[in-house]
Amino acid sequence: MRKTNSNWLPAYCRPGSFLPRIPETRVLFSQRPYLFQEFLGKAMTFLQSETARKMGFFFNPDSALPCKWRCADESVFGVDLCLYAYTGQYPFDKGAIGGMFNEGSLGAAIHHGHINMDFGGSHVGYVPGEAGGSFGAIWRPLTQEYSTDCGYLMSVLEPFTKVYDDACNNILVLNPGGDRMMVSVPNEFLHPDWSTHTIKLLVDLESLTADEVDYRQDQEFTHTLVGRSLFYLHPGFIETLSADQAREFNTAIPTPIGRALTHPFFNIFNTSAVLDESGLPRQKLLPYMKYILSAQHSPEALKAAIINTCLNHNALTDAVRAPRFANYDFVSFTGLFIDLYDEDLQSYVNFFQPVGLTIKPKGKTREVEMTTEEIRHVLDKLPLATPSLPLADVLGFDEPEIPAEKFTYQPGYFKRS
């Protein structure tokens, strides 16, 4: 009888528990992000176009309220300045720390403008450099050092990252001379009682392992090492390995499993997580944590920001469907704010990678929805709108000294912090 450890997982982590899909990083970053002021200029042209009118959106500058939902971090303040420059209106704040959408803000916003133009998403720091640059930190001129960005999201990730990295370094793969590869797993990654951490990582016995290695007096490698258990590797795991990984693991020398520990082969959860009445964590990133940590095409900070953006975009577009908002127009540009510090300008610069666009016309409850490819197909053909106030007067510059070419990240090509 095959043994399992899935019975010790919270219900939301168990195999078979459904999670809605998130747009693929490879799709989102198939092209470089826009500078936010460039994106906004094209978005304003689009909102006044015949294309938007055919979608049911009729722009009226006298009743259109620019809105933002983003983190409170000062590195994203350029978003506010751009919205002010292009519309001549101070943006209404629908956000909270961590790039969260504040649902309670909607009631006030519709009284301030019958058309709400929302620009929002999570943000992540980016440091240009070789190997695609790095994410999750930014230069802070007031402290003269690098620090986390977004600090809130990075603080959520940090304890999980430490445990995952520990597992990658200490789960060992070997082949001591037979025809089957084996895996030596510290017991804290097999049974929650063997770990003193509130963050528990459990390998998935049914997908990572085939069966236990039996003790044999004449084979020393089968002798139980205190704190560890030895298994044969599951053929399904071996099939996921690249040729280089298979060669590296197919040796008598125990080798760390490393980043081959991808999401099908483990689960991770926080025993202290606050759950709602349905048994789901109130921190909505937690069910996605194993996908964030083991992502092959993006570093953890970027993946977490993408997922957090999608979760809060859904919260916004779901909220505006309520009957009390039926007689108002909402257009929501959602994306990822990518922050970097420009040494020449002595200022933060914001890129924007669009994730989705929804338009909920007045009198309707369901909206027009556009993917990132559709957004680019429409916007890339459009000129920039003329700002209500000169960008140079508001931002202090027209174009930042850091060109878009400094953003060298490509999916699968990046430096881990």
Side-chain angles (χ1 to χ4, degrees):
M1 178 180 176
R2 284 296 309 277
K3 295 179 181 177
T4 181
N5 55 358
S6 62
N7 50 306
W8 293 312
L9 297 172
Y12 66 86
C13 283
R14 289 177 189 162
S17 297
F18 177 76
L19 273 181
R21 295 183 66 171
I22 299 297
E24 296 81 6
T25 305
R26 286 166 287 180
V27 174
L28 295 179
F29 284 88
S30 60
Q31 298 185 59
R32 286 193 179 100
Y34 297 91
L35 285 167
F36 181 70
Q37 59 262 42
E38 176 193 9
F39 179 85
L40 182 57
K42 289 176 174 290
M44 294 304 296
T45 299
F46 164 74
L47 292 177
Q48 300 169 68
S49 70
E50 182 62 26
T51 301
R53 285 189 287 273
K54 288 179 179 178
M55 294 178 180
F57 182 81
F58 295 85
F59 182 75
N60 180 354
D62 295 330
S63 58
L65 177 69
C67 304
K68 59 174 183 175
W69 57 273
R70 61 162 185 81
C71 186
D73 196 304
E74 75 276 11
S75 65
V76 209
F77 189 65
V79 172
D80 302 51
L81 295 177
C82 288
L83 287 169
Y84 174 57
Y86 266 99
T87 66
Q89 305 288 333
Y90 295 116
F92 183 92
D93 193 352
K94 293 182 179 178
I97 197 79
M100 304 298 179
F101 163 64
N102 175 16
E103 185 176 347
S105 66
L106 278 179
I110 59 171
H111 289 292
H112 298 187
H114 291 180
I115 299 173
N116 279 200
M117 302 183 297
D118 295 306
F119 294 85
S122 293
H123 74 119
V124 62
Y126 177 73
V127 179
E130 296 180 357
S134 60
F135 290 89
I138 197 169
W139 179 255
R140 303 287 185 180
L142 297 182
T143 58
Q144 289 293 293
E145 62 183 9
Y146 287 95
S147 73
T148 54
D149 181 76
C150 171
Y152 171 82
L153 287 182
M154 295 303 289
S155 69
V156 173
L157 291 183
E158 182 184 21
F160 290 91
T161 301
K162 287 181 177 179
V163 173
Y164 175 70
D165 288 346
D166 185 39
C168 290
N169 292 329
N170 289 288
I171 296 173
L172 306 175
V173 180
L174 67 155
N175 186 343
D179 58 355
R180 299 180 70 185
M181 295 170 68
M182 300 177 186
V183 59
S184 173
V185 184
N187 289 337
E188 62 263 35
F189 302 132
L190 293 168
H191 193 294
D193 283 352
W194 282 70
S195 169
T196 59
H197 294 283
T198 57
I199 307 297
K200 310 286 187 183
L201 184 149
L202 300 183
V203 299
D204 188 297
L205 285 175
E206 292 158 281
S207 61
L208 182 66
T209 71
D211 44 45
E212 293 182 79
V213 176
D214 292 330
Y215 164 80
R216 292 185 61 174
Q217 177 67 32
D218 60 341
Q219 293 183 329
E220 187 175 343
F221 66 85
T222 70
H223 298 180
T224 301
L225 183 64
V226 64
R228 284 183 172 270
S229 298
L230 188 64
F231 303 86
Y232 291 108
L233 273 174
H234 195 288
F237 172 80
I238 296 172
E239 289 174 2
T240 68
L241 300 176
S242 67
D244 288 342
Q245 287 173 321
R247 280 193 297 270
E248 184 180 7
F249 290 154
N250 198 22
T251 171
I253 301 172
T255 303
I257 195 169
R259 304 292 299 192
L261 186 65
T262 52
H263 67 81
F265 306 110
F266 76 99
N267 290 285
I268 193 166
F269 59 96
N270 186 350
T271 57
S272 299
V274 178
L275 305 181
D276 63 18
E277 60 277 3
S278 301
L280 297 174
R282 294 196 181 278
Q283 172 46 265
K284 298 184 185 300
L285 279 178
L286 298 191
Y288 290 92
M289 194 57 69
K290 70 175 183 175
Y291 302 95
I292 293 170
L293 298 172
S294 65
Q296 301 297 293
H297 298 283
S298 57
E300 300 92 320
L302 178 60
K303 190 69 172 181
I306 291 171
I307 293 174
N308 196 58
T309 295
C310 294
L311 290 168
N312 284 278
H313 171 79
N314 184 76
L316 168 62
T317 55
D318 187 53
V320 301
R321 297 185 192 116
R324 69 188 181 115
F325 302 125
N327 291 324
Y328 302 93
D329 291 283
F330 292 89
V331 56
S332 302
F333 293 93
T334 295
L336 192 65
F337 297 108
I338 301 164
D339 319 320
L340 55 82
Y341 187 76
D342 186 330
E343 292 282 357
D344 295 322
L345 292 173
Q346 297 289 290
S347 176
Y348 296 110
V349 174
N350 304 112
F351 289 102
F352 187 74
Q353 187 65 282
V355 173
L357 165 61
T358 63
I359 298 175
K360 189 205 82 66
K362 178 181 177 180
K364 295 187 177 181
T365 56
R366 282 284 168 177
E367 59 276 291
V368 176
E369 299 172 303
M370 294 174 66
T371 66
T372 185
E373 299 102 319
E374 291 169 331
I375 295 168
R376 284 187 173 275
H377 178 73
V378 171
L379 295 194
D380 285 352
K381 301 174 182 178
L382 300 177
L384 303 183
T386 301
S388 295
L389 302 168
L391 279 172
D393 291 351
V394 178
L395 295 176
F397 56 85
D398 284 314
E399 293 289 339
E401 295 299 316
I402 295 183
E405 286 72 20
K406 283 288 184 78
F407 186 85
T408 57
Y409 162 77
Q410 299 173 33
Y413 177 73
F414 56 88
K415 175 182 175 183
R416 280 198 160 83
S417 301

